[in-house]
Amino acid sequence: MTARAQTLLIVDDEMLNISILANVLSGSYRILVAKSGEQALGLLNTDKVDLVLLDIVMPEMDGYEVCKRLKSDDQTRNIPVIFISARGEDEDEERGLKTGAVDYIRKPFYLPIVAARVKTHLDLKLKTDMLEQMAAIDGLTNIANRRKFDETLEAEWKRTTHEHLPLSLIISDVDYFKQYNDHYGHAAGDDCLRQVARRLEAALPGPGNVLARF
Protein backbone atom coordinates (compact mmCIF):
# COMPACT_ATOMS: atom_id res chain seq x y z
CA MET A 1 0.00 0.00 0.00
CA THR A 2 2.87 2.36 0.65
CA ALA A 3 4.18 1.75 -2.90
CA ARG A 4 1.72 4.17 -4.45
CA ALA A 5 1.44 7.89 -3.79
CA GLN A 6 -1.71 8.79 -1.89
CA THR A 7 -4.23 10.71 -3.97
CA LEU A 8 -5.74 14.02 -2.93
CA LEU A 9 -8.81 15.50 -4.62
CA ILE A 10 -9.10 19.31 -4.46
CA VAL A 11 -12.61 20.62 -5.13
CA ASP A 12 -13.07 24.37 -5.58
CA ASP A 13 -14.78 26.54 -8.17
CA GLU A 14 -11.93 29.08 -7.97
CA MET A 15 -8.92 27.99 -10.04
CA LEU A 16 -6.60 30.22 -8.02
CA ASN A 17 -7.37 28.32 -4.82
CA ILE A 18 -6.81 25.01 -6.60
CA SER A 19 -3.46 26.21 -7.96
CA ILE A 20 -2.24 27.44 -4.57
CA LEU A 21 -3.15 24.18 -2.81
CA ALA A 22 -1.88 21.97 -5.63
CA ASN A 23 1.48 23.76 -5.73
CA VAL A 24 2.03 23.11 -2.03
CA LEU A 25 0.78 19.52 -1.94
CA SER A 26 1.81 18.08 -5.32
CA GLY A 27 5.33 17.31 -4.10
CA SER A 28 4.00 14.75 -1.62
CA TYR A 29 0.75 13.49 -3.16
CA ARG A 30 -0.93 12.70 -6.44
CA ILE A 31 -3.34 15.56 -7.10
CA LEU A 32 -6.75 15.47 -8.78
CA VAL A 33 -8.84 18.62 -9.21
CA ALA A 34 -12.51 19.37 -9.73
CA LYS A 35 -14.25 22.72 -10.21
CA SER A 36 -17.75 21.52 -9.35
CA GLY A 37 -19.55 19.05 -7.15
CA GLU A 38 -20.71 16.93 -10.08
CA GLN A 39 -17.18 16.72 -11.46
CA ALA A 40 -15.88 15.74 -8.01
CA LEU A 41 -18.42 12.92 -7.62
CA GLY A 42 -17.53 11.65 -11.09
CA LEU A 43 -13.85 11.46 -10.18
CA LEU A 44 -14.63 9.75 -6.88
CA ASN A 45 -16.51 7.03 -8.74
CA THR A 46 -13.75 6.39 -11.26
CA ASP A 47 -10.48 7.00 -9.41
CA LYS A 48 -8.85 5.91 -6.17
CA VAL A 49 -8.98 8.92 -3.81
CA ASP A 50 -7.55 8.98 -0.27
CA LEU A 51 -8.69 12.43 0.90
CA VAL A 52 -10.87 15.29 -0.36
CA LEU A 53 -10.19 18.99 0.21
CA LEU A 54 -13.64 20.45 -0.35
CA ASP A 55 -14.84 24.02 -0.72
CA ILE A 56 -18.35 24.73 0.57
CA VAL A 57 -19.59 27.66 -1.53
CA MET A 58 -19.91 26.43 -5.11
CA PRO A 59 -22.62 26.94 -7.75
CA GLU A 60 -25.27 24.27 -8.42
CA MET A 61 -24.06 21.85 -5.74
CA ASP A 62 -22.39 23.10 -2.55
CA GLY A 63 -19.79 21.26 -0.53
CA TYR A 64 -22.27 20.08 2.08
CA GLU A 65 -24.26 18.23 -0.58
CA VAL A 66 -21.10 16.74 -2.11
CA CYS A 67 -20.03 15.46 1.29
CA LYS A 68 -23.50 14.10 2.02
CA ARG A 69 -23.55 12.12 -1.23
CA LEU A 70 -20.00 10.91 -0.72
CA LYS A 71 -20.85 9.60 2.76
CA SER A 72 -24.05 7.90 1.57
CA ASP A 73 -22.17 5.77 -0.98
CA ASP A 74 -20.59 2.53 0.26
CA GLN A 75 -17.72 2.96 -2.19
CA THR A 76 -16.71 6.42 -0.93
CA ARG A 77 -18.03 6.73 2.63
CA ASN A 78 -14.62 6.03 4.21
CA ILE A 79 -12.77 8.76 2.29
CA PRO A 80 -11.92 11.59 4.74
CA VAL A 81 -13.14 15.06 3.82
CA ILE A 82 -11.59 18.36 4.94
CA PHE A 83 -13.73 21.43 4.33
CA ILE A 84 -11.89 24.61 3.33
CA SER A 85 -14.27 27.54 3.42
CA ALA A 86 -14.56 31.29 3.74
CA ARG A 87 -17.53 30.68 6.02
CA GLY A 88 -16.13 31.46 9.44
CA GLU A 89 -19.10 30.97 11.74
CA ASP A 90 -19.00 28.18 14.30
CA GLU A 91 -22.36 26.97 13.01
CA ASP A 92 -20.85 26.41 9.56
CA GLU A 93 -18.03 24.34 11.01
CA GLU A 94 -20.48 22.38 13.15
CA ARG A 95 -22.63 21.62 10.11
CA GLY A 96 -19.59 20.52 8.15
CA LEU A 97 -18.44 18.11 10.85
CA LYS A 98 -21.96 16.73 11.31
CA THR A 99 -22.14 16.13 7.56
CA GLY A 100 -19.18 13.79 7.95
CA ALA A 101 -16.02 15.87 7.47
CA VAL A 102 -12.97 15.07 9.60
CA ASP A 103 -11.73 18.66 9.70
CA TYR A 104 -12.65 22.25 8.84
CA ILE A 105 -10.14 24.90 7.73
CA ARG A 106 -11.21 28.51 7.43
CA LYS A 107 -10.09 30.86 4.64
CA PRO A 108 -7.78 32.66 4.32
CA PHE A 109 -5.81 29.51 5.11
CA TYR A 110 -2.19 29.25 6.27
CA LEU A 111 -0.55 26.78 3.90
CA PRO A 112 1.76 25.03 6.42
CA ILE A 113 -1.28 24.27 8.61
CA VAL A 114 -3.20 22.93 5.63
CA ALA A 115 -0.26 20.68 4.71
CA ALA A 116 0.10 19.48 8.32
CA ARG A 117 -3.60 18.63 8.67
CA VAL A 118 -3.65 16.88 5.30
CA LYS A 119 -0.66 14.77 6.33
CA THR A 120 -2.26 13.88 9.67
CA HIS A 121 -5.50 12.67 8.11
CA LEU A 122 -3.76 10.83 5.28
CA ASP A 123 -1.50 9.05 7.78
CA LEU A 124 -4.62 7.98 9.70
CA LYS A 125 -6.29 6.86 6.46
CA LEU A 126 -3.24 4.77 5.53
CA LYS A 127 -3.20 3.04 8.93
CA THR A 128 -6.94 2.41 8.78
CA ASP A 129 -6.65 0.94 5.28
CA MET A 130 -3.81 -1.32 6.39
CA LEU A 131 -5.82 -2.57 9.39
CA GLU A 132 -8.87 -3.22 7.20
CA GLN A 133 -6.70 -5.05 4.68
CA MET A 134 -5.19 -7.21 7.43
CA ALA A 135 -8.67 -7.98 8.80
CA ALA A 136 -9.73 -9.23 5.36
CA ILE A 137 -6.77 -11.59 4.82
CA ASP A 138 -6.56 -15.25 5.88
CA GLY A 139 -3.48 -15.54 8.08
CA LEU A 140 -2.43 -18.95 6.76
CA THR A 141 -2.84 -18.65 2.99
CA ASN A 142 -2.60 -14.86 2.61
CA ILE A 143 -5.71 -14.76 0.41
CA ALA A 144 -9.09 -13.22 1.26
CA ASN A 145 -10.79 -14.66 4.34
CA ARG A 146 -14.43 -15.61 4.98
CA ARG A 147 -15.36 -12.07 6.03
CA LYS A 148 -13.95 -10.62 2.80
CA PHE A 149 -15.68 -13.35 0.80
CA ASP A 150 -19.05 -12.47 2.34
CA GLU A 151 -18.55 -8.74 1.73
CA THR A 152 -17.42 -9.26 -1.86
CA LEU A 153 -20.25 -11.65 -2.68
CA GLU A 154 -22.84 -9.22 -1.33
CA ALA A 155 -21.35 -6.28 -3.25
CA GLU A 156 -21.01 -8.26 -6.49
CA TRP A 157 -24.53 -9.64 -6.15
CA LYS A 158 -25.91 -6.10 -5.91
CA ARG A 159 -23.75 -4.84 -8.77
CA THR A 160 -24.51 -7.67 -11.19
CA THR A 161 -28.21 -7.59 -10.35
CA HIS A 162 -28.35 -3.85 -10.97
CA GLU A 163 -26.38 -4.10 -14.23
CA HIS A 164 -28.10 -7.36 -15.35
CA LEU A 165 -24.79 -9.20 -15.56
CA PRO A 166 -23.95 -12.84 -14.79
CA LEU A 167 -22.14 -13.75 -11.57
CA SER A 168 -19.95 -16.86 -11.38
CA LEU A 169 -18.99 -18.61 -8.14
CA ILE A 170 -16.76 -21.67 -7.81
CA ILE A 171 -16.53 -23.57 -4.51
CA SER A 172 -13.75 -26.15 -4.51
CA ASP A 173 -12.33 -28.59 -1.97
CA VAL A 174 -8.93 -30.26 -1.53
CA ASP A 175 -9.46 -33.98 -1.99
CA TYR A 176 -8.10 -36.35 0.67
CA PHE A 177 -6.70 -33.46 2.69
CA LYS A 178 -7.49 -35.07 6.04
CA GLN A 179 -5.47 -38.15 5.08
CA TYR A 180 -2.63 -35.92 3.90
CA ASN A 181 -2.71 -34.02 7.20
CA ASP A 182 -2.78 -37.19 9.26
CA HIS A 183 0.10 -38.77 7.33
CA TYR A 184 2.49 -35.81 6.91
CA GLY A 185 1.47 -33.67 9.90
CA HIS A 186 -0.23 -30.30 10.29
CA ALA A 187 2.85 -28.25 9.33
CA ALA A 188 3.00 -30.01 5.98
CA GLY A 189 -0.77 -29.63 5.66
CA ASP A 190 -0.48 -25.89 6.20
CA ASP A 191 2.22 -25.68 3.53
CA CYS A 192 -0.02 -27.67 1.19
CA LEU A 193 -2.86 -25.18 1.66
CA ARG A 194 -0.51 -22.28 0.97
CA GLN A 195 0.65 -23.93 -2.27
CA VAL A 196 -2.93 -24.61 -3.35
CA ALA A 197 -3.81 -20.97 -2.66
CA ARG A 198 -0.84 -19.73 -4.70
CA ARG A 199 -1.72 -21.97 -7.65
CA LEU A 200 -5.36 -20.91 -7.62
CA GLU A 201 -4.43 -17.24 -7.31
CA ALA A 202 -2.07 -17.52 -10.27
CA ALA A 203 -4.91 -19.04 -12.30
CA LEU A 204 -7.34 -16.17 -11.76
CA PRO A 205 -8.21 -14.74 -15.19
CA GLY A 206 -8.26 -11.06 -14.19
CA PRO A 207 -8.08 -8.44 -11.42
CA GLY A 208 -11.86 -8.37 -10.96
CA ASN A 209 -11.89 -11.90 -9.56
CA VAL A 210 -11.52 -12.77 -5.89
CA LEU A 211 -10.05 -15.90 -4.34
CA ALA A 212 -11.02 -16.57 -0.72
CA ARG A 213 -10.58 -19.29 1.88
CA PHE A 214 -14.10 -20.34 2.83
Side-chain angles (χ1 to χ4, degrees):
M1 292 180 64
T2 55
R4 71 172 181 86
Q6 289 175 290
T7 298
L8 179 64
L9 172 61
I10 302 172
V11 188
D12 199 309
D13 61 322
E14 294 290 340
M15 199 61 213
L16 178 60
N17 291 330
I18 291 177
S19 298
I20 292 172
L21 292 168
N23 286 338
V24 171
L25 300 168
S26 59
S28 303
Y29 312 107
R30 174 172 169 256
I31 303 296
L32 299 176
V33 300
K35 295 188 67 179
S36 70
E38 288 290 350
Q39 187 181 7
L41 292 173
L43 286 171
L44 286 164
N45 286 326
T46 58
D47 213 313
K48 171 70 175 176
V49 175
D50 295 292
L51 185 143
V52 180
L53 278 176
L54 181 58
D55 187 27
I56 291 179
V57 181
M58 296 185 292
E60 298 180 12
M61 184 188 303
D62 66 17
Y64 293 131
E65 181 62 24
V66 174
C67 187
K68 180 181 177 182
R69 294 193 187 187
L70 185 154
K71 295 300 176 182
S72 65
D73 188 330
D74 289 341
Q75 302 300 315
T76 57
R77 66 168 68 248
N78 293 324
I79 300 174
V81 174
I82 299 178
F83 278 123
I84 295 186
S85 178
R87 292 185 173 181
E89 298 298 323
D90 291 340
E91 291 78 7
D92 297 314
E93 181 172 351
E94 179 186 9
R95 182 182 175 187
L97 297 175
K98 284 184 175 180
T99 305
V102 297
D103 210 340
Y104 191 102
I105 300 175
R106 305 184 188 197
K107 296 179 182 178
F109 46 77
Y110 181 55
L111 289 173
I113 289 180
V114 174
R117 292 190 179 182
V118 165
K119 183 179 185 304
T120 294
H121 290 295
L122 281 174
D123 286 347
L124 288 172
K125 176 68 162 51
L126 180 61
K127 292 175 183 177
T128 300
D129 287 349
M130 291 177 69
L131 288 172
E132 289 182 354
Q133 186 182 60
M134 290 171 62
I137 296 298
D138 176 61
L140 176 63
T141 59
N142 205 36
I143 62 176
N145 60 15
R146 173 66 183 272
R147 172 191 169 192
K148 182 64 175 178
F149 168 81
D150 290 340
E151 291 176 351
T152 303
L153 181 59
E154 181 180 2
E156 287 299 296
W157 182 271
K158 290 179 180 178
R159 182 183 68 83
T160 53
T161 300
H162 177 72
E163 299 178 6
H164 305 289
L165 296 172
L167 174 64
S168 299
L169 173 65
I170 298 174
I171 299 179
S172 62
D173 197 10
V174 181
D175 290 341
Y176 310 113
F177 182 67
K178 184 180 186 304
Q179 292 93 316
Y180 185 94
N181 237 354
D182 292 343
H183 183 76
Y184 293 105
H186 290 286
D190 289 348
D191 187 55
C192 174
L193 290 178
R194 283 190 285 265
Q195 290 191 52
V196 169
R198 284 197 294 269
R199 294 292 181 90
L200 291 173
E201 194 167 38
L204 290 180
N209 296 279
V210 174
L211 174 67
R213 185 182 179 193
F214 189 79

